[in-house]
């Protein structure tokens, strides 16, 4: 028999996967319940509404992604190497970004609370990438611009990979951007 925490975790994990695959708006609590394998009472005990379930699952997805990004961006290695590690981290390009995909889910964008969680993810990610880039000697404005470009390369890489059915489309976009980053003669501008 599962514990209440196990049941909650299983529900959140199932919701995360289903939301990534078909979106929040298209996923019913019953589908999440079936995928999680927990009892109906557990669903409504932990998440009285679909919104409660969505908030927990989207929040967990965001937190997991930020932890992974911080793992790449923080440390003692040279700052540019850390940004490159973030960009080159293996990703399932054909699956798409679990958070980026939420921006096209009308149910998320119409819900202030869910939209705010997604917005906060991108703000925090941009801040982390910019902070690492500032360590290279870039000005605040240049670091912020390059952080936007780095995050856009990852998001755009997912889109290109999915649109073409070619996971190398993301790797090519990242390789091109890394080349620009490493070859920039005005790195400390």
């Amino acid at each position: 028999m599962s514990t209440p925490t196990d049941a909650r975790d299983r529900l959140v994990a199932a919701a995360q996967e289903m939301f990534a695959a078909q979106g929040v708006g298209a996923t019913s609590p019953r589908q999440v319940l079936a995928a999680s394998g927990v009892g109906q009472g557990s669903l409504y005990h932990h998440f009285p509404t679909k919104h409660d379930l969505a908030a927990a699952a989207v929040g967990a997805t965001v937190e997991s992604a930020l932890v992974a990004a911080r793992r790449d961006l923080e440390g003692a290695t040279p700052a540019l190497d850390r940004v490159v590690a973030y960009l080159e981290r293996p990703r399932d390009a054909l699956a798409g970004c679990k958070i980026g995909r939420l921006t096209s889910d009308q149910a998320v964008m119409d819900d202030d609370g869910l939209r705010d969680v997604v917005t906060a993810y991108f703000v925090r990610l941009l801040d982390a990438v910019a902070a690492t880039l500032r360590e290279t000697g870039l000005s605040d404005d240049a670091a912020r611009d390059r952080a936007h470009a780095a995050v856009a390369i990852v998001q755009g890489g997912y889109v290109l990979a999915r649109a073409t059915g070619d996971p190398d489309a993301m790797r090519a976009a990242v390789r091109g951007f890394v080349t620009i980053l490493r070859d920039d003669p005005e790195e400390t501008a």
Side-chain angles (χ1 to χ4, degrees), residues 12-28 31-32 35 57-58 61 92 94-102 104-105 162:
V12 169
Q16 287 178 277
E17 291 305 313
M18 296 200 78
F19 294 164
Q22 62 191 37
V24 173
T27 302
S28 73
Q31 290 172 311
V32 173
V58 170
T61 299
D92 185 354
L94 296 178
C97 176
K98 289 180 179 180
I99 302 164
R101 292 178 76 182
L102 293 172
S104 63
D105 187 333
R162 286 178 58 85

Side-chain angles (χ1 to χ4, degrees), residues 35-161:
S36 72
V38 303
Q40 185 171 346
S42 290
L43 173 65
Y44 295 107
H45 169 74
H46 293 291
F47 305 106
T49 68
K50 179 179 177 178
H51 182 270
D52 295 331
L53 176 62
V58 170
T61 299
V62 162
E63 195 53 41
S64 175
L66 285 171
V67 165
R70 282 190 208 107
R71 195 172 33 244
D72 293 330
L73 295 167
E74 296 172 354
T77 59
L80 191 55
D81 290 347
R82 287 181 271 137
V83 172
V84 170
Y86 161 75
L87 290 165
E88 292 180 343
R89 177 184 345 122
R91 292 175 169 89
D92 185 354
L94 296 178
C97 176
K98 289 180 179 180
I99 302 164
R101 292 178 76 182
L102 293 172
T103 65
S104 63
D105 187 333
Q106 204 58 50
V108 172
M109 299 314 287
D110 286 344
D111 182 297
D112 292 343
L114 296 177
R115 185 182 61 247
D116 289 350
V117 172
V118 172
T119 299
Y121 164 76
F122 283 106
V123 168
R124 291 167 64 192
L125 178 59
L126 288 165
D127 288 347
V129 175
T132 305
L133 286 166
R134 276 193 298 278
E135 292 178 40
T136 69
L138 289 173
S139 68
D140 286 345
D141 288 343
R144 172 72 48 200
D145 287 350
R146 291 189 191 168
H148 277 82
V151 172
I153 287 294
V154 172
Q155 291 301 310
Y158 278 121
V159 170
L160 289 172

